[in-house]
Amino acid sequence: MACISISKPYQLRPRVYPNVSRVQSSYSLNLLHFFSSTHDQIPETTAPNPDRVQAEEGTRMNQELEQRQSQSHSHSQNQRFPRGRRRNTEKLEDLICRMMANRAWTTRLQNSIRGLVPVFDHNLVYNVLHSAKNSEHALQFFRWVERSGLFNHDRETHMKMIEILGRASKLNHARCILLDMPQKGVEWDEDMFIVLIDSYGKNGIVQESVKIFDKMQELGVKRSVKSYDALFKVIFRRGRYMMGKRYFNKMLKEGIAPTKLTYNIMIWGFFLSLRFETAMRFFEDMQSGGISPDVVTYNTMINGYNRFKKMDEAEKLFVEMKEKNIEPTVISYTTMIKGYVGIERVDDALRLFEEMKSFNIKPNDVTFTTLIPGLCDAGKMAEAQIVLKEMVEKYISPKDNSIFMKLLTCQCESGDLEAAADVLKAMIRLSIPTEAAHYGILIENFCKAEMFDRAIKLLDKLVEKDIILRPQISLHMEASAYNPMIQHLCHHGQTGKAEVFFRQLMKKGVLDPSALNNLIRGHSKEGSPDSAFEIIKIMGRRGVPKDADAYKLLVESYLRKGEPADAKTALDSMIEDGHLPDSSLFRSVMESVFEDGRVQTASRVMKSMVEKGVKENMDLVAKILEALFMRGHVEEALGRIDLLMQNGCAPNFDNLLSALSEKDKTIAALKLLDFCLERDCILDVSSYERVLDALLAGGKTLNAYSILSKILEKGGISDWKSCEDLIASLNQEGNTKQADILSRMIRGGETDQGSKKGKKQAAVSS
């Protein structure tokens, strides 16, 4: 493959301007701004003439350059740049790349670039392609300079564009550019096809790599062992070992002799495909063909033996390599260490690690990431800590960061929390992004050891640095880590901190019931029931179950705060979630709302209590019923009484009737008595008389007549001492018919008065 320099020096050639000998690079940024502002004033509907625009831009640039030169000439004679400072000499290719990155690819941008560049030569075009921010910018520039007739691409610019598109996986574009080269008068060569073969292979498209390889013969491009080597890499990387065999035989038929590199690739490929015997045969053929194995061959063979756990054979090869004066490399030692670790011979791995250092062979990141997990699995945590320290001192940052999780876990399991904390410090020193899981392991184990102060410090760092919320995070904190921490904080008056921490976890999709219930308990104990209830709402929206004891603490918190209505709301939520509050909680809420003057609210709590089968607190129930009657909520009171009776909790009707009669709530007493008569409730005779006396005293003679008639029909009292007074009052008010009926009923009842007087009692309805 031809050698191509990465960046070619480009000398800005002088452009012919009147009175201007050369374009100063320090003016380049100002000129860019000048042309950009000019083009922005061109109407969108008018298509600019490129030649005319370029001429106008050249005139304007000449004028500005002359003006700035005359202004700066006199000024520069008396002013020098401070020592240590340099002029801004931005390369032209970098300026063009920055313009393409910051602006859309339009005619305006193209004209601006034209105005900056005197001549588009090979060095400039190549360097712009090399420095372009992305492949799309490079492709646009590549096509534009060609179609505009500014530059005819050569072999090197084609090669650079194919490489760029191959890395960006824009393989169809790369293929078209390659196959169109002869039409432009540019000859292709083998190296260009090798780049395309390799690009298809890296994208996993083996068939296209094979097609390109076969097409080389159709197009008359000579294939050498380099093309075959590139194809073998692609084929074996995807495990197509049979195809690899076919093309190897084809190569031999074409008279192309395999090289040492070819054999190395074949041996590597067959070991990768777990074809041990085939790999060994190629190794033997290589030696019998007079090709001496090199360090790469031995490394490949040792790695292959490792795959099949044949460490004895690998050791022999390692010794043989040394005997042939082939110096082992860091890869050789690392491969051997990996093999020893794989068969749990960690002491041998550690011995080789020390040996390689004695030969001044520096371990690399793979060496450390291979050895450390093996030491952890073998329980050699002291040695693992020493190796980690050495890695940090040499500032070797591994690509595989999983070793730190293993180190943290194993150090904690061994009980050495200080060493585990040092692992986290090592990650920070090596600039390795720490994740929530790393902190979680330490927090969990600090909590287990009751070292809560240190756990809280780690938690503070975790929250302050928003480590949990990092979008690239892949290792999340386990519940076993955050739950003990949250529980501790909630039990020690730091629920606010616990909530801030857990809300970050919630943003990552964590909805742990234990943690959320602990937050409810913590807020409730700390006298912040509103915050606790907010957590309950969140749990309700997301279907997270709530604990009964958390609800109880919340209700009690509201009661302590003197907010009975909110306590009742929390109690209702508790019941809706399927929890049964105990009788004491019902009583506390009922008493609180009742004492707050919320009789109907207390009545609703009582209803919930009875419906849930709680039959205690009947003394408080009687007070609530009486208050309902007293406030005129008669129907509600009767409904509650009916519910109580259905659940076998009938109230003391005699006491209720007596209280209502004494407080002149005659209508309420009348309705309650009527309710009792309809349901054949057991009443004392004195209760009848009290209600009747209250009605008569209140002038409600018809009401007294009506209820007395029902009493008499039920076989109740007939010797009420005020019965004659009621009849007289009825006659006086003109209700003679009712008076006559009542008289006859009383006289009819006197015959069996002795057997029924004051003793008629109906059975209680069930």
Side-chain angles (χ1 to χ4, degrees):
M1 186 182 295
C3 180
I4 302 173
S5 61
I6 296 300
S7 178
K8 300 188 175 182
Y10 178 76
Q11 299 295 330
L12 185 62
R13 299 180 181 178
R15 185 172 182 175
V16 180
Y17 294 113
N19 302 322
V20 181
S21 61
R22 58 192 292 269
V23 179
Q24 296 292 336
S25 59
S26 59
Y27 291 131
S28 57
L29 290 175
N30 294 325
L31 292 177
L32 172 60
H33 176 72
F34 174 80
F35 287 123
S36 299
S37 60
T38 302
H39 284 299
D40 290 341
Q41 297 173 4
I42 298 176
E44 293 290 343
T45 56
T46 304
N49 185 337
D51 295 332
R52 181 180 176 184
V53 171
Q54 188 173 3
E56 291 176 354
E57 290 173 347
T59 303
R60 283 191 293 269
M61 185 164 62
N62 290 337
Q63 293 171 354
E64 181 170 335
L65 283 172
E66 291 175 1
Q67 182 181 359
R68 294 190 179 186
Q69 245 186 354
S70 62
Q71 291 175 354
S72 62
H73 179 68
S74 59
H75 181 70
S76 61
Q77 293 178 351
N78 300 321
Q79 182 179 1
R80 293 184 179 179
F81 283 94
R83 182 174 298 176
R85 293 180 58 186
R86 297 181 179 178
R87 292 176 181 270
N88 181 14
T89 56
E90 185 175 18
K91 293 181 180 179
L92 186 56
E93 56 264 27
D94 295 334
L95 178 59
I96 293 172
C97 291
R98 184 157 54 82
M99 292 169 65
M100 292 192 298
N102 296 331
R103 295 171 59 183
W105 186 257
T106 61
T107 304
R108 294 179 181 178
L109 176 58
Q110 295 166 14
N111 291 333
S112 296
I113 296 173
R114 278 188 179 184
L116 286 173
V117 181
V119 177
F120 287 87
D121 63 5
H122 169 82
N123 288 347
L124 175 65
V125 173
Y126 183 91
N127 289 338
V128 169
L129 294 176
H130 176 75
S131 304
K133 298 296 183 183
N134 58 54
S135 60
E136 188 63 29
H137 296 162
L139 184 60
Q140 289 169 338
F141 181 81
F142 179 88
R143 288 175 172 169
W144 171 65
V145 294
E146 183 177 50
R147 293 172 180 173
S148 302
L150 301 173
F151 178 75
N152 292 325
H153 288 295
D154 54 18
R155 188 260 178 202
E156 289 188 354
T157 55
H158 275 95
M159 186 69 165
K160 171 57 72 173
M161 196 66 246
I162 292 170
E163 290 174 349
I164 292 170
L165 293 173
R167 287 194 300 267
S169 300
K170 295 182 178 179
L171 303 176
N172 288 335
H173 290 299
R175 181 173 183 157
C176 291
I177 287 173
L178 175 63
L179 298 181
D180 289 345
M181 286 175 62
Q183 300 175 11
K184 305 173 187 177
V186 183
E187 293 185 2
W188 49 42
D189 56 35
E190 183 184 17
D191 290 337
M192 293 181 171
F193 285 88
I194 289 174
V195 171
L196 195 57
I197 289 169
D198 186 62
S199 298
Y200 273 115
K202 288 178 178 177
N203 283 272
I205 312 174
V206 180
Q207 294 301 327
E208 289 300 321
S209 294
V210 174
K211 287 180 182 178
I212 293 295
F213 179 81
D214 292 338
K215 198 170 186 65
M216 291 174 68
Q217 190 173 19
E218 296 176 16
L219 299 174
V221 181
K222 186 178 180 180
R223 297 183 303 201
S224 69
V225 70
K226 290 195 301 181
S227 303
Y228 274 101
D229 288 345
L231 183 65
F232 290 145
K233 287 181 183 178
V234 171
I235 290 172
F236 282 111
R237 194 180 291 128
R238 304 299 295 182
R240 307 284 186 87
Y241 64 92
M242 292 300 295
M243 183 185 290
K245 278 186 180 181
R246 289 198 302 270
Y247 274 93
F248 184 81
N249 293 331
K250 184 177 181 180
M251 180 183 70
L252 297 178
K253 288 179 181 179
E254 292 179 3
I256 300 174
T259 64
K260 186 181 296 184
L261 176 60
T262 308
Y263 277 110
N264 287 341
I265 294 171
M266 299 301 290
I267 294 169
W268 163 79
F270 284 115
F271 272 130
L272 189 66
S273 303
L274 301 179
R275 314 302 297 181
F276 180 80
E277 294 179 357
T278 309
M280 292 300 299
R281 188 166 61 249
F282 268 88
F283 181 60
E284 293 169 0
D285 291 346
M286 176 184 182
Q287 292 175 306
S288 62
I291 300 176
S292 299
D294 60 3
V295 67
V296 176
T297 311
Y298 279 106
N299 289 344
T300 305
M301 288 295 298
I302 291 170
N303 188 57
Y305 279 129
N306 289 349
R307 285 178 175 269
F308 291 90
K309 308 295 183 183
K310 296 178 179 290
M311 277 308 297
D312 292 337
E313 290 82 349
E315 286 175 339
K316 292 176 182 178
L317 275 181
F318 192 65
V319 173
E320 179 185 316
M321 178 172 60
K322 293 179 181 179
E323 291 174 349
K324 291 183 177 181
N325 293 324
I326 299 175
E327 294 184 1
T329 64
V330 63
I331 296 175
S332 308
Y333 276 101
T334 301
T335 306
M336 286 295 295
I337 290 170
K338 182 179 179 181
Y340 282 129
V341 168
I343 61 171
E344 299 180 357
R345 289 170 58 181
V346 184
D347 291 334
D348 289 327
L350 201 57
R351 174 180 53 80
L352 272 186
F353 180 72
E354 296 300 329
E355 179 183 309
M356 70 182 292
K357 291 189 294 180
S358 67
F359 291 136
N360 293 324
I361 299 175
K362 297 180 180 179
N364 60 18
D365 63 305
V366 180
T367 312
F368 285 107
T369 55
T370 301
L371 180 59
I372 290 176
L375 293 171
C376 291
D377 290 336
K380 296 181 177 295
M381 299 314 303
E383 291 83 351
Q385 191 71 7
I386 293 171
V387 174
L388 174 67
K389 184 179 179 181
E390 182 177 342
M391 184 174 69
V392 174
E393 288 173 351
K394 294 179 178 179
Y395 202 79
I396 298 175
S397 181
K399 295 178 182 178
D400 181 11
N401 294 335
S402 63
I403 64 166
F404 295 103
M405 279 292 293
K406 194 170 191 68
L407 267 171
L408 282 165
T409 303
C410 293
Q411 291 288 18
C412 289
E413 288 176 354
S414 68
D416 193 346
L417 298 184
E418 293 300 329
D422 289 339
V423 175
L424 193 64
K425 294 176 183 176
M427 294 181 67
I428 296 170
R429 186 172 176 184
L430 292 173
S431 302
I432 296 170
T434 53
E435 300 194 26
H438 298 129
Y439 283 86
I441 292 172
L442 284 173
I443 289 172
E444 177 182 355
N445 285 277
F446 278 135
C447 289
K448 287 180 180 178
E450 297 185 358
M451 301 169 67
F452 292 106
D453 291 342
R454 298 193 65 176
I456 291 172
K457 287 180 180 179
L458 287 173
L459 179 67
D460 291 339
K461 290 181 181 179
L462 192 66
V463 174
E464 289 170 7
K465 296 179 180 180
D466 289 334
I467 294 174
I468 296 172
L469 301 178
R470 288 176 182 170
Q472 68 274 19
I473 192 170
S474 59
L475 300 172
H476 300 281
M477 185 180 291
E478 297 293 333
S480 58
Y482 59 72
N483 271 331
M485 188 77 265
I486 290 173
Q487 184 177 10
H488 174 79
L489 292 172
C490 292
H491 287 175
H492 292 81
Q494 299 184 69
T495 307
K497 177 181 288 191
E499 183 176 350
V500 170
F501 163 57
F502 192 73
R503 281 187 179 273
Q504 289 192 353
L505 291 173
M506 289 172 65
K507 290 178 181 179
K508 302 300 289 187
V510 177
L511 291 171
D512 190 275
S514 178
L516 289 166
N517 280 292
N518 274 325
L519 290 176
I520 295 171
R521 295 184 188 98
H523 281 307
S524 300
K525 290 177 180 178
E526 293 171 23
S528 302
D530 290 337
S531 299
F533 201 70
E534 185 63 30
I535 300 294
I536 283 180
K537 291 178 182 177
I538 293 172
M539 295 171 73
R541 288 194 297 268
R542 303 192 183 186
V544 182
K546 282 84 76 178
D547 292 344
D549 66 317
Y551 263 121
K552 182 177 180 180
L553 290 173
L554 174 60
V555 173
E556 292 173 348
S557 180
Y558 271 125
L559 293 175
R560 286 195 303 271
K561 201 173 179 181
E563 297 177 357
D566 292 328
K568 191 263 180 187
T569 303
L571 185 73
D572 290 342
S573 180
M574 179 180 181
I575 295 171
E576 288 173 6
D577 279 339
H579 298 297
L580 177 61
D582 56 29
S583 61
S584 62
L585 192 62
F586 273 118
R587 184 179 187 88
S588 298
V589 176
M590 282 193 297
E591 279 183 338
S592 180
V593 293
F594 183 74
E595 291 172 359
D596 196 44
R598 303 171 185 268
V599 177
Q600 288 183 288
T601 304
S603 169
R604 287 190 286 272
V605 177
M606 177 188 73
K607 178 177 179 292
S608 299
M609 180 185 71
V610 174
E611 288 175 343
K612 291 297 178 182
V614 178
K615 300 181 180 181
E616 290 84 357
N617 308 317
M618 287 299 111
D619 57 329
L620 187 57
V621 168
K623 292 181 181 179
I624 294 171
L625 291 173
E626 181 180 339
L628 286 173
F629 280 117
M630 296 296 293
R631 295 194 177 191
H633 306 299
V634 178
E635 296 303 324
E636 182 178 346
L638 294 176
R640 299 291 184 259
I641 292 173
D642 187 50
L643 178 65
L644 287 166
M645 294 179 66
Q646 290 175 13
N647 287 273
C649 303
N652 191 320
F653 292 110
D654 293 316
N655 290 343
L656 276 174
L657 289 171
S658 176
L660 294 175
S661 300
E662 291 175 359
K663 296 176 182 178
D664 295 329
K665 297 295 180 180
T666 54
I667 298 301
L670 174 66
K671 291 184 177 180
L672 176 58
L673 181 57
D674 187 44
F675 176 89
C676 294
L677 290 173
E678 288 179 359
R679 286 160 179 75
D680 295 328
C681 299
I682 299 174
L683 293 176
D684 191 77
V685 174
S686 60
S687 299
Y688 295 121
E689 292 178 344
R690 288 192 188 95
V691 176
L692 290 170
D693 288 339
L695 290 170
L696 183 60
K700 297 179 176 61
T701 54
L702 287 176
N703 296 115
Y705 160 74
S706 175
I707 197 65
L708 181 57
S709 299
K710 290 182 179 181
I711 293 170
L712 293 173
E713 288 174 1
K714 294 286 185 179
I717 60 171
S718 58
D719 58 347
W720 175 42
K721 61 182 179 180
S722 300
C723 189
E724 295 298 332
D725 295 336
L726 176 59
I727 294 171
S729 296
L730 288 170
N731 285 321
Q732 289 177 1
E733 293 173 3
N735 298 314
T736 56
K737 182 178 180 181
Q738 285 82 355
D740 183 58
I741 293 171
L742 183 58
S743 298
R744 281 188 273 114
M745 290 178 70
I746 291 172
R747 286 195 297 272
E750 287 178 352
T751 57
D752 54 355
Q753 179 180 352
S755 62
K756 296 181 180 179
K757 182 178 179 181
K759 295 182 180 179
K760 177 65 178 177
Q761 294 181 342
V764 178
S765 61
S766 59

